[in-house]
Amino acid sequence: MTSLTSRTAVDPGVSSSVRADIRSQTKEELEAQLAALKQPSFRADQILRWIYQRRATSWDAMSNLPKTLRDRLQTHFALRPIKLVRKQGSRDTTQKFLWSLADGSFIESVLIPANPALYGDVSDRHTLCVSTQVGCAYGCRFCASGLDGWKRNLLPDEIVDQILAVERWNDEQKTPDTETGQKPADRLISNLVIMGMGEPLANYDNLLKALRILNAPWGVGIGARKITISTSGLAPQIRKLADEPFQFRLAISLHGATDETRNKIMPVNRKYPLKELTAACEYYLAHKGKMITFEYILIAGVNDSPDQAKPLAHLAQRLNAKVNLIPYNRVEGLPWERPSDERQRAFLNALTKLKITATLRVEKGHDIDAACGQLRLKTERELAETAPSTKP
Ligand code: SAH
Ligand code: SF4
């Protein structure tokens, strides 16, 4: 882990920004490039195994490739792993990772075990929440990710590497096999939620390429049904996603069931109001037959009155959606508060009475700034305070 008091600018290993990282390539693209280098086709499988099964982070580690090939690959492709800067683990074993990218930007991922490790049991199914952009341009009023605006889209490899990097971190905790001296390289992450920093559907092409790699049997092999994409409501991209040949799950960050409430807290609603958003959801439903989830953060005095449960139930019924209620996580510097437990339960009860499938999320990681963008914001602020002045 690097120190927080100094920020590395560009990774010294990165000589050129034009070389694509190898983890941004599909198998077909890699095979085509290897054919151009007059390499036998089995080399692609060997390389992919090193990258996705062994999670190699250097060409030198790929010991069954001839040195000459490794050198040639190095001139063709970058291999720039993201770096762990900071990690926070909460009592219920949710872990939050802050990574630095080759250009010094920070992003976050959150690892959530399916069964918290109670009584010493170790959970084997894990969900990873991944980021898709540095910052966010959508500026939802309650969210830390958009506070400093949007910086850039993540590249496919920067999305893919969040999964590999968490698994590398997990590998480091394992004890090596007594005979081979090697550590088992089994998969840790079985589910993905694209709910970290950024608006995934605003980085559509890079996201889809990353998901193709994460889904592929030659890649990470996570089933499309185990991948949930969350969006604040980009209606045209929801329709585009519906036309893709993948069965991803869709979550809509609704947070308000009327245009009046959504307009107050989510500027995106002015561009794609509820009429357009729900029509796009209906299109997704018709094409995929998948149940959609509405994410609904409960914010005190904004969207938590039981009479707002009615229009929400109406929308959920129309779209056959289930509702995931999330108590708001406070963000430093923002005025919003989470409602009392009683008020949260009253809202849940109002929905249940209206025959809606709804859950109230017991926040995992509330104590570790779990909502997206908060750890990055905190770190950026600490760095700004400790960084030496750039003025002469
Ligand atoms: N941009 C996408 C995905 C990232 S945000 C989207 O908006 O859906 C992931 C989820 O975290 C969204 O539902 C978002 O509304 C929620 N979120 C943001 N800030 C939060 C906070 N302070 N407390 C609880 N949830 C928050
Ligand atoms: Fe962006 Fe999602 Fe945060 Fe809104 S909630 S600012 S879309 S990351």
PDB file of all heavy atoms in Angstrom, residues 129 136 140 142-145 194-200 230-233 251-255 266 295-297 326-331 361 363 371-372 374, ligand 1:
ATOM      1  N   CYS A 129     -18.930  -4.659  -5.552  1.00  0.00           N
ATOM      2  CA  CYS A 129     -19.539  -3.450  -6.111  1.00  0.00           C
ATOM      3  C   CYS A 129     -18.426  -2.677  -6.800  1.00  0.00           C
ATOM      4  O   CYS A 129     -17.424  -2.327  -6.164  1.00  0.00           O
ATOM      5  CB  CYS A 129     -20.141  -2.648  -4.950  1.00  0.00           C
ATOM      6  SG  CYS A 129     -20.768  -1.052  -5.447  1.00  0.00           S
ATOM      7  N   CYS A 136     -18.567  11.573 -11.109  1.00  0.00           N
ATOM      8  CA  CYS A 136     -19.830  11.350 -11.831  1.00  0.00           C
ATOM      9  C   CYS A 136     -20.378  12.703 -12.268  1.00  0.00           C
ATOM     10  O   CYS A 136     -20.299  13.684 -11.526  1.00  0.00           O
ATOM     11  CB  CYS A 136     -20.849  10.639 -10.940  1.00  0.00           C
ATOM     12  SG  CYS A 136     -22.382  10.242 -11.835  1.00  0.00           S
ATOM     13  N   CYS A 140     -26.423  13.874  -8.516  1.00  0.00           N
ATOM     14  CA  CYS A 140     -27.562  13.659  -7.613  1.00  0.00           C
ATOM     15  C   CYS A 140     -27.216  14.357  -6.292  1.00  0.00           C
ATOM     16  O   CYS A 140     -26.086  14.258  -5.809  1.00  0.00           O
ATOM     17  CB  CYS A 140     -27.806  12.164  -7.404  1.00  0.00           C
ATOM     18  SG  CYS A 140     -28.143  11.311  -8.949  1.00  0.00           S
ATOM     19  N   PHE A 142     -27.688  14.007  -3.234  1.00  0.00           N
ATOM     20  CA  PHE A 142     -27.379  13.301  -1.979  1.00  0.00           C
ATOM     21  C   PHE A 142     -26.073  12.510  -2.055  1.00  0.00           C
ATOM     22  O   PHE A 142     -25.657  11.902  -1.087  1.00  0.00           O
ATOM     23  CB  PHE A 142     -28.514  12.309  -1.676  1.00  0.00           C
ATOM     24  CG  PHE A 142     -28.890  11.489  -2.897  1.00  0.00           C
ATOM     25  CD1 PHE A 142     -28.129  10.407  -3.270  1.00  0.00           C
ATOM     26  CD2 PHE A 142     -29.962  11.863  -3.694  1.00  0.00           C
ATOM     27  CE1 PHE A 142     -28.435   9.683  -4.413  1.00  0.00           C
ATOM     28  CE2 PHE A 142     -30.286  11.140  -4.841  1.00  0.00           C
ATOM     29  CZ  PHE A 142     -29.511  10.045  -5.205  1.00  0.00           C
ATOM     30  N   CYS A 143     -25.421  12.495  -3.225  1.00  0.00           N
ATOM     31  CA  CYS A 143     -24.373  11.506  -3.487  1.00  0.00           C
ATOM     32  C   CYS A 143     -22.967  12.107  -3.435  1.00  0.00           C
ATOM     33  O   CYS A 143     -22.733  13.193  -3.967  1.00  0.00           O
ATOM     34  CB  CYS A 143     -24.640  10.889  -4.864  1.00  0.00           C
ATOM     35  SG  CYS A 143     -23.384   9.711  -5.376  1.00  0.00           S
ATOM     36  N   ALA A 144     -22.049  11.361  -2.821  1.00  0.00           N
ATOM     37  CA  ALA A 144     -20.666  11.843  -2.699  1.00  0.00           C
ATOM     38  C   ALA A 144     -19.903  11.734  -4.017  1.00  0.00           C
ATOM     39  O   ALA A 144     -18.986  12.513  -4.276  1.00  0.00           O
ATOM     40  CB  ALA A 144     -19.942  11.039  -1.611  1.00  0.00           C
ATOM     41  N   SER A 145     -20.293  10.774  -4.862  1.00  0.00           N
ATOM     42  CA  SER A 145     -19.521  10.531  -6.095  1.00  0.00           C
ATOM     43  C   SER A 145     -19.523  11.716  -7.040  1.00  0.00           C
ATOM     44  O   SER A 145     -18.564  11.936  -7.769  1.00  0.00           O
ATOM     45  CB  SER A 145     -20.093   9.330  -6.854  1.00  0.00           C
ATOM     46  OG  SER A 145     -19.834   8.161  -6.149  1.00  0.00           O
ATOM     47  N   ILE A 194     -22.910  -3.274 -10.381  1.00  0.00           N
ATOM     48  CA  ILE A 194     -22.239  -2.113 -10.987  1.00  0.00           C
ATOM     49  C   ILE A 194     -22.890  -0.890 -10.358  1.00  0.00           C
ATOM     50  O   ILE A 194     -23.750  -0.226 -10.940  1.00  0.00           O
ATOM     51  CB  ILE A 194     -22.372  -2.141 -12.539  1.00  0.00           C
ATOM     52  CG1 ILE A 194     -22.151  -3.560 -13.099  1.00  0.00           C
ATOM     53  CG2 ILE A 194     -21.425  -1.132 -13.173  1.00  0.00           C
ATOM     54  CD1 ILE A 194     -20.803  -4.175 -12.802  1.00  0.00           C
ATOM     55  N   MET A 195     -22.463  -0.635  -9.129  1.00  0.00           N
ATOM     56  CA  MET A 195     -23.103   0.404  -8.298  1.00  0.00           C
ATOM     57  C   MET A 195     -22.070   1.237  -7.564  1.00  0.00           C
ATOM     58  O   MET A 195     -22.380   1.878  -6.565  1.00  0.00           O
ATOM     59  CB  MET A 195     -23.983  -0.251  -7.216  1.00  0.00           C
ATOM     60  CG  MET A 195     -25.206  -0.921  -7.716  1.00  0.00           C
ATOM     61  SD  MET A 195     -26.234  -1.414  -6.338  1.00  0.00           S
ATOM     62  CE  MET A 195     -27.498  -2.319  -7.197  1.00  0.00           C
ATOM     63  N   GLY A 196     -20.824   1.188  -8.021  1.00  0.00           N
ATOM     64  CA  GLY A 196     -19.799   1.999  -7.374  1.00  0.00           C
ATOM     65  C   GLY A 196     -19.851   3.413  -7.926  1.00  0.00           C
ATOM     66  O   GLY A 196     -20.911   3.897  -8.337  1.00  0.00           O
ATOM     67  N   MET A 197     -18.697   4.053  -7.969  1.00  0.00           N
ATOM     68  CA  MET A 197     -18.680   5.433  -8.428  1.00  0.00           C
ATOM     69  C   MET A 197     -18.990   5.522  -9.920  1.00  0.00           C
ATOM     70  O   MET A 197     -18.510   4.708 -10.709  1.00  0.00           O
ATOM     71  CB  MET A 197     -17.284   5.987  -8.156  1.00  0.00           C
ATOM     72  CG  MET A 197     -17.209   7.488  -8.229  1.00  0.00           C
ATOM     73  SD  MET A 197     -15.507   7.979  -8.261  1.00  0.00           S
ATOM     74  CE  MET A 197     -14.907   7.146  -6.847  1.00  0.00           C
ATOM     75  N   GLY A 198     -19.776   6.521 -10.289  1.00  0.00           N
ATOM     76  CA  GLY A 198     -20.044   6.783 -11.704  1.00  0.00           C
ATOM     77  C   GLY A 198     -21.381   6.254 -12.173  1.00  0.00           C
ATOM     78  O   GLY A 198     -22.039   5.477 -11.497  1.00  0.00           O
ATOM     79  N   GLU A 199     -21.774   6.735 -13.343  1.00  0.00           N
ATOM     80  CA  GLU A 199     -23.029   6.276 -13.962  1.00  0.00           C
ATOM     81  C   GLU A 199     -22.643   5.259 -15.048  1.00  0.00           C
ATOM     82  O   GLU A 199     -22.115   5.632 -16.104  1.00  0.00           O
ATOM     83  CB  GLU A 199     -23.776   7.479 -14.549  1.00  0.00           C
ATOM     84  CG  GLU A 199     -24.957   7.147 -15.435  1.00  0.00           C
ATOM     85  CD  GLU A 199     -25.914   6.093 -14.877  1.00  0.00           C
ATOM     86  OE1 GLU A 199     -26.426   6.263 -13.775  1.00  0.00           O
ATOM     87  OE2 GLU A 199     -26.135   5.084 -15.587  1.00  0.00           O
ATOM     88  N   PRO A 200     -22.884   3.964 -14.783  1.00  0.00           N
ATOM     89  CA  PRO A 200     -22.406   2.922 -15.704  1.00  0.00           C
ATOM     90  C   PRO A 200     -22.857   3.112 -17.142  1.00  0.00           C
ATOM     91  O   PRO A 200     -22.081   2.917 -18.068  1.00  0.00           O
ATOM     92  CB  PRO A 200     -22.997   1.624 -15.139  1.00  0.00           C
ATOM     93  CG  PRO A 200     -23.518   1.951 -13.795  1.00  0.00           C
ATOM     94  CD  PRO A 200     -23.612   3.425 -13.640  1.00  0.00           C
ATOM     95  N   SER A 230     -26.728  -0.861 -12.207  1.00  0.00           N
ATOM     96  CA  SER A 230     -27.584   0.151 -11.590  1.00  0.00           C
ATOM     97  C   SER A 230     -27.467   1.463 -12.362  1.00  0.00           C
ATOM     98  O   SER A 230     -26.362   1.897 -12.683  1.00  0.00           O
ATOM     99  CB  SER A 230     -27.140   0.358 -10.139  1.00  0.00           C
ATOM    100  OG  SER A 230     -27.853   1.419  -9.551  1.00  0.00           O
ATOM    101  N   THR A 231     -28.601   2.074 -12.651  1.00  0.00           N
ATOM    102  CA  THR A 231     -28.556   3.357 -13.360  1.00  0.00           C
ATOM    103  C   THR A 231     -29.491   4.368 -12.713  1.00  0.00           C
ATOM    104  O   THR A 231     -30.544   4.007 -12.174  1.00  0.00           O
ATOM    105  CB  THR A 231     -28.923   3.201 -14.862  1.00  0.00           C
ATOM    106  OG1 THR A 231     -28.924   4.503 -15.470  1.00  0.00           O
ATOM    107  CG2 THR A 231     -30.274   2.544 -15.064  1.00  0.00           C
ATOM    108  N   SER A 232     -29.099   5.640 -12.826  1.00  0.00           N
ATOM    109  CA  SER A 232     -29.942   6.705 -12.290  1.00  0.00           C
ATOM    110  C   SER A 232     -31.108   6.992 -13.234  1.00  0.00           C
ATOM    111  O   SER A 232     -31.974   7.801 -12.907  1.00  0.00           O
ATOM    112  CB  SER A 232     -29.099   7.956 -12.078  1.00  0.00           C
ATOM    113  OG  SER A 232     -28.511   8.337 -13.307  1.00  0.00           O
ATOM    114  N   GLY A 233     -31.087   6.349 -14.402  1.00  0.00           N
ATOM    115  CA  GLY A 233     -32.259   6.480 -15.288  1.00  0.00           C
ATOM    116  C   GLY A 233     -31.973   6.993 -16.686  1.00  0.00           C
ATOM    117  O   GLY A 233     -32.719   7.814 -17.214  1.00  0.00           O
ATOM    118  N   ALA A 251     -31.060  -2.511 -12.184  1.00  0.00           N
ATOM    119  CA  ALA A 251     -31.585  -1.813 -11.003  1.00  0.00           C
ATOM    120  C   ALA A 251     -31.732  -0.336 -11.364  1.00  0.00           C
ATOM    121  O   ALA A 251     -30.843   0.249 -11.993  1.00  0.00           O
ATOM    122  CB  ALA A 251     -30.631  -1.971  -9.823  1.00  0.00           C
ATOM    123  N   ILE A 252     -32.859   0.231 -11.001  1.00  0.00           N
ATOM    124  CA  ILE A 252     -33.084   1.656 -11.280  1.00  0.00           C
ATOM    125  C   ILE A 252     -32.996   2.409  -9.959  1.00  0.00           C
ATOM    126  O   ILE A 252     -33.709   2.082  -9.001  1.00  0.00           O
ATOM    127  CB  ILE A 252     -34.499   1.885 -11.893  1.00  0.00           C
ATOM    128  CG1 ILE A 252     -34.704   1.015 -13.144  1.00  0.00           C
ATOM    129  CG2 ILE A 252     -34.738   3.356 -12.185  1.00  0.00           C
ATOM    130  CD1 ILE A 252     -33.874   1.384 -14.333  1.00  0.00           C
ATOM    131  N   SER A 253     -32.126   3.418  -9.916  1.00  0.00           N
ATOM    132  CA  SER A 253     -32.057   4.270  -8.726  1.00  0.00           C
ATOM    133  C   SER A 253     -33.208   5.253  -8.810  1.00  0.00           C
ATOM    134  O   SER A 253     -33.079   6.302  -9.431  1.00  0.00           O
ATOM    135  CB  SER A 253     -30.719   5.015  -8.690  1.00  0.00           C
ATOM    136  OG  SER A 253     -29.688   4.104  -8.477  1.00  0.00           O
ATOM    137  N   LEU A 254     -34.317   4.904  -8.210  1.00  0.00           N
ATOM    138  CA  LEU A 254     -35.531   5.704  -8.374  1.00  0.00           C
ATOM    139  C   LEU A 254     -35.565   6.856  -7.364  1.00  0.00           C
ATOM    140  O   LEU A 254     -35.623   8.013  -7.738  1.00  0.00           O
ATOM    141  CB  LEU A 254     -36.749   4.785  -8.226  1.00  0.00           C
ATOM    142  CG  LEU A 254     -38.035   5.298  -8.835  1.00  0.00           C
ATOM    143  CD1 LEU A 254     -37.933   5.408 -10.343  1.00  0.00           C
ATOM    144  CD2 LEU A 254     -39.206   4.377  -8.460  1.00  0.00           C
ATOM    145  N   HIS A 255     -35.556   6.506  -6.098  1.00  0.00           N
ATOM    146  CA  HIS A 255     -35.470   7.471  -4.992  1.00  0.00           C
ATOM    147  C   HIS A 255     -36.615   8.470  -4.910  1.00  0.00           C
ATOM    148  O   HIS A 255     -36.628   9.350  -4.047  1.00  0.00           O
ATOM    149  CB  HIS A 255     -34.133   8.232  -4.998  1.00  0.00           C
ATOM    150  CG  HIS A 255     -32.931   7.355  -5.148  1.00  0.00           C
ATOM    151  ND1 HIS A 255     -32.869   6.072  -4.672  1.00  0.00           N
ATOM    152  CD2 HIS A 255     -31.733   7.574  -5.742  1.00  0.00           C
ATOM    153  CE1 HIS A 255     -31.697   5.545  -4.963  1.00  0.00           C
ATOM    154  NE2 HIS A 255     -30.992   6.422  -5.613  1.00  0.00           N
ATOM    155  N   MET A 266     -32.574  14.575  -8.189  1.00  0.00           N
ATOM    156  CA  MET A 266     -31.851  13.935  -9.291  1.00  0.00           C
ATOM    157  C   MET A 266     -32.020  14.735 -10.583  1.00  0.00           C
ATOM    158  O   MET A 266     -33.022  14.603 -11.296  1.00  0.00           O
ATOM    159  CB  MET A 266     -32.357  12.498  -9.487  1.00  0.00           C
ATOM    160  CG  MET A 266     -32.196  11.648  -8.236  1.00  0.00           C
ATOM    161  SD  MET A 266     -32.774   9.968  -8.469  1.00  0.00           S
ATOM    162  CE  MET A 266     -31.469   9.262  -9.467  1.00  0.00           C
ATOM    163  N   GLU A 295     -34.206   0.825  -6.647  1.00  0.00           N
ATOM    164  CA  GLU A 295     -33.459   1.217  -5.451  1.00  0.00           C
ATOM    165  C   GLU A 295     -34.121   2.503  -4.945  1.00  0.00           C
ATOM    166  O   GLU A 295     -34.408   3.416  -5.725  1.00  0.00           O
ATOM    167  CB  GLU A 295     -31.987   1.510  -5.789  1.00  0.00           C
ATOM    168  CG  GLU A 295     -31.262   0.382  -6.496  1.00  0.00           C
ATOM    169  CD  GLU A 295     -30.806  -0.718  -5.554  1.00  0.00           C
ATOM    170  OE1 GLU A 295     -30.335  -0.395  -4.458  1.00  0.00           O
ATOM    171  OE2 GLU A 295     -30.945  -1.889  -5.923  1.00  0.00           O
ATOM    172  N   TYR A 296     -34.388   2.559  -3.662  1.00  0.00           N
ATOM    173  CA  TYR A 296     -35.075   3.729  -3.101  1.00  0.00           C
ATOM    174  C   TYR A 296     -34.396   4.088  -1.786  1.00  0.00           C
ATOM    175  O   TYR A 296     -34.606   3.448  -0.760  1.00  0.00           O
ATOM    176  CB  TYR A 296     -36.559   3.389  -2.906  1.00  0.00           C
ATOM    177  CG  TYR A 296     -37.473   4.575  -2.674  1.00  0.00           C
ATOM    178  CD1 TYR A 296     -38.214   5.127  -3.708  1.00  0.00           C
ATOM    179  CD2 TYR A 296     -37.609   5.122  -1.396  1.00  0.00           C
ATOM    180  CE1 TYR A 296     -39.067   6.206  -3.492  1.00  0.00           C
ATOM    181  CE2 TYR A 296     -38.457   6.205  -1.168  1.00  0.00           C
ATOM    182  CZ  TYR A 296     -39.193   6.739  -2.219  1.00  0.00           C
ATOM    183  OH  TYR A 296     -40.036   7.799  -2.003  1.00  0.00           O
ATOM    184  N   ILE A 297     -33.530   5.119  -1.839  1.00  0.00           N
ATOM    185  CA  ILE A 297     -32.881   5.570  -0.598  1.00  0.00           C
ATOM    186  C   ILE A 297     -33.915   6.326   0.205  1.00  0.00           C
ATOM    187  O   ILE A 297     -34.624   7.173  -0.350  1.00  0.00           O
ATOM    188  CB  ILE A 297     -31.752   6.588  -0.867  1.00  0.00           C
ATOM    189  CG1 ILE A 297     -30.812   6.143  -1.974  1.00  0.00           C
ATOM    190  CG2 ILE A 297     -30.948   6.874   0.372  1.00  0.00           C
ATOM    191  CD1 ILE A 297     -29.790   7.223  -2.280  1.00  0.00           C
ATOM    192  N   ILE A 326     -33.255   1.603   1.014  1.00  0.00           N
ATOM    193  CA  ILE A 326     -31.900   1.752   1.575  1.00  0.00           C
ATOM    194  C   ILE A 326     -31.873   2.980   2.487  1.00  0.00           C
ATOM    195  O   ILE A 326     -32.120   4.092   2.014  1.00  0.00           O
ATOM    196  CB  ILE A 326     -30.859   1.959   0.445  1.00  0.00           C
ATOM    197  CG1 ILE A 326     -30.999   0.871  -0.623  1.00  0.00           C
ATOM    198  CG2 ILE A 326     -29.437   2.016   0.999  1.00  0.00           C
ATOM    199  CD1 ILE A 326     -30.539   1.328  -1.985  1.00  0.00           C
ATOM    200  N   PRO A 327     -31.601   2.781   3.767  1.00  0.00           N
ATOM    201  CA  PRO A 327     -31.492   3.967   4.627  1.00  0.00           C
ATOM    202  C   PRO A 327     -30.318   4.835   4.159  1.00  0.00           C
ATOM    203  O   PRO A 327     -29.236   4.314   3.876  1.00  0.00           O
ATOM    204  CB  PRO A 327     -31.209   3.378   6.015  1.00  0.00           C
ATOM    205  CG  PRO A 327     -31.406   1.895   5.889  1.00  0.00           C
ATOM    206  CD  PRO A 327     -31.289   1.525   4.456  1.00  0.00           C
ATOM    207  N   TYR A 328     -30.557   6.127   4.049  1.00  0.00           N
ATOM    208  CA  TYR A 328     -29.527   7.049   3.539  1.00  0.00           C
ATOM    209  C   TYR A 328     -28.271   7.028   4.420  1.00  0.00           C
ATOM    210  O   TYR A 328     -28.364   7.016   5.645  1.00  0.00           O
ATOM    211  CB  TYR A 328     -30.105   8.472   3.487  1.00  0.00           C
ATOM    212  CG  TYR A 328     -29.120   9.488   2.971  1.00  0.00           C
ATOM    213  CD1 TYR A 328     -28.637   9.404   1.673  1.00  0.00           C
ATOM    214  CD2 TYR A 328     -28.658  10.529   3.777  1.00  0.00           C
ATOM    215  CE1 TYR A 328     -27.730  10.325   1.192  1.00  0.00           C
ATOM    216  CE2 TYR A 328     -27.747  11.458   3.294  1.00  0.00           C
ATOM    217  CZ  TYR A 328     -27.292  11.350   2.002  1.00  0.00           C
ATOM    218  OH  TYR A 328     -26.378  12.257   1.530  1.00  0.00           O
ATOM    219  N   ASN A 329     -27.134   7.017   3.768  1.00  0.00           N
ATOM    220  CA  ASN A 329     -25.853   7.128   4.468  1.00  0.00           C
ATOM    221  C   ASN A 329     -25.423   8.582   4.458  1.00  0.00           C
ATOM    222  O   ASN A 329     -25.254   9.146   3.369  1.00  0.00           O
ATOM    223  CB  ASN A 329     -24.777   6.348   3.699  1.00  0.00           C
ATOM    224  CG  ASN A 329     -24.518   5.000   4.289  1.00  0.00           C
ATOM    225  OD1 ASN A 329     -24.339   4.854   5.495  1.00  0.00           O
ATOM    226  ND2 ASN A 329     -24.496   4.003   3.435  1.00  0.00           N
ATOM    227  N   ARG A 330     -25.196   9.137   5.590  1.00  0.00           N
ATOM    228  CA  ARG A 330     -24.825  10.561   5.646  1.00  0.00           C
ATOM    229  C   ARG A 330     -23.535  10.831   4.864  1.00  0.00           C
ATOM    230  O   ARG A 330     -22.598  10.046   4.894  1.00  0.00           O
ATOM    231  CB  ARG A 330     -24.597  10.982   7.095  1.00  0.00           C
ATOM    232  CG  ARG A 330     -25.886  11.258   7.829  1.00  0.00           C
ATOM    233  CD  ARG A 330     -25.679  12.375   8.812  1.00  0.00           C
ATOM    234  NE  ARG A 330     -25.219  13.571   8.113  1.00  0.00           N
ATOM    235  CZ  ARG A 330     -24.801  14.661   8.722  1.00  0.00           C
ATOM    236  NH1 ARG A 330     -24.758  14.729  10.017  1.00  0.00           N
ATOM    237  NH2 ARG A 330     -24.413  15.707   8.023  1.00  0.00           N
ATOM    238  N   VAL A 331     -23.492  11.960   4.185  1.00  0.00           N
ATOM    239  CA  VAL A 331     -22.285  12.386   3.479  1.00  0.00           C
ATOM    240  C   VAL A 331     -21.850  13.711   4.101  1.00  0.00           C
ATOM    241  O   VAL A 331     -22.660  14.647   4.196  1.00  0.00           O
ATOM    242  CB  VAL A 331     -22.554  12.587   1.960  1.00  0.00           C
ATOM    243  CG1 VAL A 331     -21.328  13.134   1.250  1.00  0.00           C
ATOM    244  CG2 VAL A 331     -23.013  11.281   1.318  1.00  0.00           C
ATOM    245  N   ARG A 361     -32.970  -2.622   3.443  1.00  0.00           N
ATOM    246  CA  ARG A 361     -31.601  -3.112   3.548  1.00  0.00           C
ATOM    247  C   ARG A 361     -31.022  -2.799   4.916  1.00  0.00           C
ATOM    248  O   ARG A 361     -31.075  -1.662   5.380  1.00  0.00           O
ATOM    249  CB  ARG A 361     -30.717  -2.471   2.476  1.00  0.00           C
ATOM    250  CG  ARG A 361     -29.362  -3.147   2.369  1.00  0.00           C
ATOM    251  CD  ARG A 361     -28.431  -2.386   1.463  1.00  0.00           C
ATOM    252  NE  ARG A 361     -28.830  -2.451   0.073  1.00  0.00           N
ATOM    253  CZ  ARG A 361     -28.196  -1.786  -0.903  1.00  0.00           C
ATOM    254  NH1 ARG A 361     -27.188  -0.998  -0.611  1.00  0.00           N
ATOM    255  NH2 ARG A 361     -28.593  -1.887  -2.144  1.00  0.00           N
ATOM    256  N   GLU A 363     -28.011  -2.025   6.460  1.00  0.00           N
ATOM    257  CA  GLU A 363     -26.787  -1.549   5.841  1.00  0.00           C
ATOM    258  C   GLU A 363     -25.555  -2.301   6.317  1.00  0.00           C
ATOM    259  O   GLU A 363     -25.246  -2.322   7.504  1.00  0.00           O
ATOM    260  CB  GLU A 363     -26.599  -0.065   6.122  1.00  0.00           C
ATOM    261  CG  GLU A 363     -27.359   0.795   5.160  1.00  0.00           C
ATOM    262  CD  GLU A 363     -26.750   0.795   3.779  1.00  0.00           C
ATOM    263  OE1 GLU A 363     -25.636   1.309   3.621  1.00  0.00           O
ATOM    264  OE2 GLU A 363     -27.389   0.254   2.849  1.00  0.00           O
ATOM    265  N   ALA A 371     -21.462   4.204   1.244  1.00  0.00           N
ATOM    266  CA  ALA A 371     -22.073   4.709   0.010  1.00  0.00           C
ATOM    267  C   ALA A 371     -20.978   5.150  -0.945  1.00  0.00           C
ATOM    268  O   ALA A 371     -19.917   5.611  -0.534  1.00  0.00           O
ATOM    269  CB  ALA A 371     -23.005   5.865   0.318  1.00  0.00           C
ATOM    270  N   CYS A 372     -21.284   5.004  -2.233  1.00  0.00           N
ATOM    271  CA  CYS A 372     -20.236   5.194  -3.232  1.00  0.00           C
ATOM    272  C   CYS A 372     -19.625   6.588  -3.171  1.00  0.00           C
ATOM    273  O   CYS A 372     -20.303   7.561  -2.927  1.00  0.00           O
ATOM    274  CB  CYS A 372     -20.783   4.903  -4.619  1.00  0.00           C
ATOM    275  SG  CYS A 372     -22.143   5.973  -5.108  1.00  0.00           S
ATOM    276  N   GLN A 374     -17.555   7.929  -1.071  1.00  0.00           N
ATOM    277  CA  GLN A 374     -17.203   8.608   0.183  1.00  0.00           C
ATOM    278  C   GLN A 374     -15.748   8.434   0.599  1.00  0.00           C
ATOM    279  O   GLN A 374     -15.141   9.352   1.131  1.00  0.00           O
ATOM    280  CB  GLN A 374     -18.113   8.117   1.302  1.00  0.00           C
ATOM    281  CG  GLN A 374     -19.540   8.525   1.052  1.00  0.00           C
ATOM    282  CD  GLN A 374     -20.374   8.457   2.307  1.00  0.00           C
ATOM    283  OE1 GLN A 374     -20.030   9.033   3.314  1.00  0.00           O
ATOM    284  NE2 GLN A 374     -21.458   7.733   2.249  1.00  0.00           N
TER     285      GLN A 374
HETATM  286  N1  SAH B   1     -24.840   5.887 -10.930  1.00  0.00           N
HETATM  287  C1  SAH B   1     -25.516   4.681 -10.693  1.00  0.00           C
HETATM  288  C2  SAH B   1     -24.705   3.651  -9.959  1.00  0.00           C
HETATM  289  C3  SAH B   1     -23.853   4.148  -8.843  1.00  0.00           C
HETATM  290  S1  SAH B   1     -24.683   4.817  -7.446  1.00  0.00           S
HETATM  291  C4  SAH B   1     -26.821   4.935  -9.998  1.00  0.00           C
HETATM  292  O1  SAH B   1     -27.061   6.056  -9.571  1.00  0.00           O
HETATM  293  O2  SAH B   1     -27.607   4.000  -9.912  1.00  0.00           O
HETATM  294  C5  SAH B   1     -25.187   3.332  -6.608  1.00  0.00           C
HETATM  295  C6  SAH B   1     -26.339   3.523  -5.647  1.00  0.00           C
HETATM  296  O3  SAH B   1     -25.897   4.184  -4.452  1.00  0.00           O
HETATM  297  C7  SAH B   1     -27.465   4.362  -6.226  1.00  0.00           C
HETATM  298  O4  SAH B   1     -28.707   3.771  -5.988  1.00  0.00           O
HETATM  299  C8  SAH B   1     -27.284   5.638  -5.446  1.00  0.00           C
HETATM  300  O5  SAH B   1     -28.435   6.395  -5.459  1.00  0.00           O
HETATM  301  C9  SAH B   1     -26.858   5.132  -4.095  1.00  0.00           C
HETATM  302  N2  SAH B   1     -26.305   6.157  -3.206  1.00  0.00           N
HETATM  303  C10 SAH B   1     -25.589   7.241  -3.531  1.00  0.00           C
HETATM  304  N3  SAH B   1     -25.280   7.955  -2.427  1.00  0.00           N
HETATM  305  C11 SAH B   1     -25.845   7.319  -1.385  1.00  0.00           C
HETATM  306  C12 SAH B   1     -25.896   7.563   0.025  1.00  0.00           C
HETATM  307  N4  SAH B   1     -25.282   8.607   0.554  1.00  0.00           N
HETATM  308  N5  SAH B   1     -26.560   6.679   0.798  1.00  0.00           N
HETATM  309  C13 SAH B   1     -27.150   5.576   0.269  1.00  0.00           C
HETATM  310  N6  SAH B   1     -27.138   5.298  -1.042  1.00  0.00           N
HETATM  311  C14 SAH B   1     -26.492   6.147  -1.867  1.00  0.00           C
END
